């Protein structure tokens, strides 16, 4: 592999589970996660979405602190705190200037500001907007709040690029470690879009399924149910993780981003020094054209020699800015656990019709490498190869 980056900790929270362990158990069992929720009030039709229960998320914020925070910060806090604990990394103010936070988020904190906008526009009530909107609403809120509370003083950035948001965040983190700016980077993708306004926006742009159905790689696909969640990793240079004597979960290189799915996947495989992988974590938007192009690119890049393939989208929902990070954590778990993740499985072979199964259980297998792919609506693509780390003992 061209660059030595190791993932030493993971954290995740979405409809499938509020910890990495719970998420993997859901994937292992293949149990469904979608629910009907009345986003527009109790007297309206229910929408099929993939929510996360508030009382199950260990975000670490007090009730007083939550009054100034949006849900995206709460979700990212839970994922990042778990990733740091998994990596056995403690951060303290004034002592963590070589640690940075890189966040991918596409929609910001509408759950916080939207209820305040209704009386502002309906009644012209200027007092309806509280002072914390400025720090809770914008996509950078999670990065800023977590840097402060965790005492992280190194370079930190937020990236907004739809489903590729976390891929851009990860690439910047790799660059910051490679050029010596940081020793450790915490990378997180987060989205909390379950509000009436964001839901309607996603429906209008065709991002999510109108009726809650999920039919990827078919002519009936119109998206996936909207979900919320966060996924985080702790990233270190190999030398640094070995100095700390922690066992890495997986090894990666710098993600490849650019136009053209096939060329991006080819470059990711070339940079990893491998012509094939054991598992592909597909994006599987559930939209006919993007799904067809994605599968064609994977088939072409792997020369038709297709390994096991699956997608977290059927279990977590459409996660926008958290999509790539969720696929990445899923791939890391696959190589670390030595198993094909359950949930949505995609079976394809040249000359045969694509077959998709939902609710599949995990399968034990020798998974030593995995390919993660993602896109945005403007024909940009991202790809990354995740590799298992041999036993260091």
């Amino acid at each position: 592999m061209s660059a030595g980056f190791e993932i030493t900790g993971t954290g995740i929270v979405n409809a499938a589970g509020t910890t990495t362990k719970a998420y993997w158990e859901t994937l292992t069992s293949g149990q469904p996660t979608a629910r009907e929720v009345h986003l527009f009030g109790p007297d309206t039709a229910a929408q099929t979405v993939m929510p996360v229960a508030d009382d199950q998320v260990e975000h670490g914020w007090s009730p007083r602190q939550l009054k100034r925070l949006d849900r995206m910060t709460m979700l990212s806090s839970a994922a990042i705190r778990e990733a740091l604990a998994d990596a056995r990394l403690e951060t303290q103010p004034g002592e963590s200037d070589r640690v940075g936070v890189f966040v991918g988020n596409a929609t910001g904190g509408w759950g916080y500001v939207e209820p305040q906008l209704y009386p502002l526009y309906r009644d012209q009530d200027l007092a309806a907007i509280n002072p914390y909107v400025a720090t809770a609403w914008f996509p950078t809120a999670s990065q800023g709040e977590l840097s402060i509370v965790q005492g992280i003083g190194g370079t930190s950035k937020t990236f907004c690029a739809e489903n590729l948001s976390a891929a851009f965040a990860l690439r910047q983190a790799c660059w910051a470690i490679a050029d010596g700016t940081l020793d450790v980077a915490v990378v997180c993708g987060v989205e909390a879009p379950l509000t009436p306004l964001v839901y309607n926006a996603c429906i209008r742009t065709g991002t999510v399924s109108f009726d809650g159905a999920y039919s990827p790689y078919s002519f009936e696909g119109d998206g996936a149910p909207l979900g919320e969640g966060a996924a985080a990793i702790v990233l270190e240079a190999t030398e640094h993780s070995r100095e700390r004597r922690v066992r890495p979960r997986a090894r990666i290189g710098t993600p490849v981003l650019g136009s053209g799915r096939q060329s991006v996947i080819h470059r990711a495989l070339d940079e990893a020094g491998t012509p094939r992988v054991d598992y592909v974590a597909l994006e599987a938007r559930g939209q006919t054209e993007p799904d067809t192009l994605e599968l064609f690119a994977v088939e072409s890049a792997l020369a038709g020699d297709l390994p096991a393939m699956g997608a977290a989208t059927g279990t977590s929902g459409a996660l926008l800015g958290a999509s790539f990070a969720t696929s990445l954590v899923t791939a890391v778990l696959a190589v670390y656990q030595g198993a094909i993740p359950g949930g949505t499985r995609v079976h394809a072979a040249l000359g045969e019709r694509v077959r998709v199964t939902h609710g599949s259980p995990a399968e034990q297998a020798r998974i030593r490498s995995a390919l993660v792919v993602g896109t945005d609506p403007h024909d940009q693509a991202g790809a990354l190869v995740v590799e298992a780390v041999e036993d260091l003992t």
Side-chain angles (χ1 to χ4, degrees):
M1 180 166 282
S2 59
F5 301 110
E6 292 185 340
I7 294 174
T8 54
T10 61
I12 196 164
V13 50
N14 58 43
T18 55
T19 64
T20 300
K21 182 176 183 292
Y23 174 67
W24 183 254
E25 288 175 349
T26 300
L27 287 183
T28 299
S29 67
Q31 65 190 56
T33 56
R35 297 211 321 257
E36 287 194 337
V37 175
H38 295 273
L39 286 181
F40 296 87
D43 298 327
T44 62
Q47 292 73 43
T48 301
V49 296
M50 295 180 172
V52 179
D54 286 339
D55 57 2
Q56 295 178 355
V57 180
E58 297 183 6
H59 46 72
W61 298 96
S62 69
R64 180 178 180 181
Q65 291 171 318
L66 286 176
K67 293 180 180 179
R68 60 180 175 84
L69 301 176
D70 181 73
R71 188 163 173 76
M72 68 169 176
T73 299
M74 181 182 75
L75 296 176
S76 58
S77 294
I80 287 176
R81 289 172 190 271
E82 183 190 9
L84 288 170
D86 188 36
R88 293 189 295 165
L89 185 67
E90 295 184 2
T91 54
Q92 299 293 334
E95 300 177 8
S96 302
D97 291 347
R98 300 282 299 172
V99 181
V101 177
F102 298 85
V103 176
N105 173 262
T107 63
W110 283 97
Y112 191 87
V113 70
E114 188 174 331
Q116 300 177 43
L117 291 178
Y118 296 146
L120 174 66
Y121 282 93
R122 183 185 61 238
D123 307 322
Q124 289 77 53
D125 181 7
L126 298 181
I129 304 296
N130 77 39
Y132 294 118
V133 162
T135 55
W137 182 11
F138 298 105
T140 56
S142 292
Q143 169 210 317
E145 294 288 356
L146 287 162
S147 295
I148 294 170
V149 74
Q150 296 291 154
I152 295 174
T155 299
S156 299
K157 301 287 183 183
T158 296
F159 296 81
C160 301
E162 211 239 10
N163 280 19
L164 286 180
S165 298
F168 279 99
L170 178 59
R171 185 176 67 171
Q172 190 68 35
C174 290
W175 286 348
I177 293 175
D179 69 12
T181 302
L182 298 175
D183 293 326
V184 179
V186 182
V187 182
C188 179
V190 60
E191 212 68 69
L194 299 184
T195 78
L197 191 151
V198 179
Y199 177 84
N200 276 339
C202 289
I203 291 294
R204 183 165 185 173
T205 57
T207 305
V208 301
S209 171
F210 180 77
D211 60 2
Y214 181 54
S215 303
Y217 309 102
S218 74
F219 292 110
E220 294 79 34
D222 71 337
L226 188 61
E228 64 174 2
I233 63 165
V234 173
L235 185 73
E236 305 180 50
T238 299
E239 297 79 6
H240 191 266
S241 67
R242 300 299 161 83
E243 287 176 5
R244 294 205 305 118
R245 302 181 67 83
V246 294
R247 184 184 178 188
R249 302 294 183 185
R251 180 182 294 115
I252 65 171
T254 304
V256 177
L257 291 145
S259 59
R261 295 167 174 82
Q262 186 176 340
S263 64
V264 166
I265 294 172
H266 266 301
R267 287 166 52 200
L269 294 170
D270 289 344
E271 291 197 11
T274 179
R276 69 179 311 279
V277 292
D278 302 314
Y279 177 74
V280 181
L282 296 166
E283 186 174 43
R285 286 174 174 263
Q287 298 165 294
T288 302
E289 183 177 355
D291 286 356
T292 301
L293 293 173
E294 177 187 43
L295 205 53
F296 176 79
V298 171
E299 289 177 336
S300 300
L302 296 178
D305 184 18
L306 295 177
M309 299 188 294
T313 306
T315 305
S316 63
L319 291 180
L320 307 176
S323 174
F324 194 90
T326 302
S327 293
L328 172 58
V329 170
T330 304
V332 170
L333 292 172
V335 300
Y336 189 74
Q337 299 285 350
I340 301 170
T344 301
R345 293 283 306 279
V346 181
H347 311 268
L350 291 177
E352 297 181 11
R353 184 175 180 179
V354 179
R355 181 167 54 90
V356 179
T357 58
H358 300 289
S360 299
E363 299 178 26
Q364 290 298 312
R366 183 174 171 78
I367 306 295
R368 308 303 297 166
S369 60
L371 173 69
V372 181
V373 295
T375 62
D376 72 3
H378 309 293
D379 201 32
Q380 297 294 303
L384 172 69
V385 173
V386 178
E387 294 184 329
V389 178
E390 300 299 330
D391 194 348
L392 303 179
T393 59

